[in-house]
Amino acid sequence: MKKLFFTVLALAGLLCAAAQTQDWANFGRFEQANGQVRNPKVVLMGNSITELWIKTHPDFFAARGYVSRGISGQTTSQMLVRFRADVIDLHPQVVVICGGTNDIAQNNGYISLPHIFGNIVSMVELARANGIAPILCSLLPARDFGWHKGLEPAPKIIELNRMIRAYAAQEKIPYVDYHTPMAEPDGGMIAAYTGDGVHPTEAGYDVMEAIVQPVIGAALKHTGSKRHK
């Protein structure tokens, strides 16, 4: 019995040590870069869609003083955990929040739509509490996920977008609708805008930039006028 006790204790210690070496929210991804950024105009917070955006169209960010803080595969829970380090501590004027696809894909297991939505609301509240103007985005359309097939995400995406849009209207937060101009009637993404059904091509990012840039511009103008009052 004594031997069993020490065996269990040793296993518990190993599990704790393993947990301590895991950077679940991936704080390390931008730790060095964050130390080199000072007061960017805009931070785009998201997942692989945001991460691949700066890799596909780097000039969209560099020419405007925008910063990308997208991490591939992340859920809104992970985004929320790192929101202080990767957004608040950078002191931007505006944050563009775009997430939820990987939650619906169950990258970290099942999570309900209300809880995904709650994570997004929490990021908005953190931004506002720190004087950062939030912009909310729809999820992009998707018919299926290549890495987790059979979840039928299209109607779930539409419902989550409805929740985000309604909240944005209620709270007078700018809302960017990528879904409507990029979706097929069945809720999948238009083939010309994606290579895998989830992530945009260059043409897809062209569409997104044309939609989001006027919204960002208006938000910057508004925050700028408030700061000069």
Side-chain angles (χ1 to χ4, degrees):
M1 189 70 175
K2 189 175 181 181
K3 184 177 180 181
L4 177 61
F5 170 76
F6 283 110
T7 300
V8 171
L9 193 63
L11 286 172
L14 288 171
L15 288 171
C16 287
Q20 289 171 0
T21 63
Q22 292 178 359
D23 182 5
W24 179 77
N26 205 347
F27 287 111
R29 172 68 175 80
F30 293 110
E31 186 173 12
Q32 184 175 355
N34 287 344
Q36 300 168 352
V37 172
R38 292 292 179 272
N39 303 323
K41 290 182 179 179
V42 180
V43 173
L44 282 80
M45 180 63 155
N47 50 40
S48 58
I49 291 167
T50 300
E51 183 176 14
L52 292 173
W53 194 342
I54 193 170
K55 292 179 179 178
T56 305
H57 284 179
D59 290 346
F60 176 73
F61 291 80
R64 296 173 174 83
Y66 298 172
V67 169
S68 170
R69 288 297 178 262
I71 298 181
S72 179
Q74 283 213 332
T75 64
T76 55
S77 299
Q78 291 166 302
M79 290 167 57
L80 176 57
V81 168
R82 66 181 176 91
F83 195 82
R84 179 170 298 280
D86 287 347
V87 178
I88 294 170
D89 290 348
L90 303 185
H91 306 291
Q93 293 174 244
V94 173
V95 60
V96 181
I97 301 168
C98 189
T101 298
N102 292 318
D103 301 71
I104 292 175
Q106 300 182 17
N107 281 20
N108 285 329
Y110 172 76
I111 178 172
S112 70
L113 295 184
H115 283 143
I116 302 169
F117 173 68
N119 286 338
I120 293 169
V121 170
S122 293
M123 284 187 269
V124 167
E125 291 175 346
L126 282 170
R128 283 180 153 178
N130 287 275
I132 303 166
I135 294 174
L136 289 173
C137 302
S138 73
L139 281 68
L140 274 62
R143 188 176 293 107
D144 203 0
F145 301 127
W147 66 96
H148 197 167
K149 290 184 175 294
L151 294 176
E152 299 182 352
K156 299 168 190 173
I157 289 171
I158 290 169
E159 175 59 17
L160 182 56
N161 285 344
R162 185 199 64 75
M163 296 165 72
I164 298 169
R165 182 196 288 270
Y167 171 72
Q170 173 188 312
E171 295 295 319
K172 296 181 172 55
I173 298 168
Y175 175 77
V176 179
D177 181 9
Y178 297 131
H179 190 279
T180 299
M182 299 181 75
E184 297 276 14
D186 68 352
M189 201 182 309
I190 294 171
Y193 298 150
T194 182
D196 62 1
V198 177
H199 300 94
T201 58
E202 287 195 25
Y205 284 120
D206 285 339
V207 173
M208 293 171 65
E209 288 169 15
I211 298 168
V212 75
Q213 180 52 33
V215 180
I216 293 175
L220 285 172
K221 187 176 180 180
H222 181 67
T223 57
S225 66
K226 285 174 66 177
R227 290 186 180 192
H228 286 93
K229 283 184 178 179

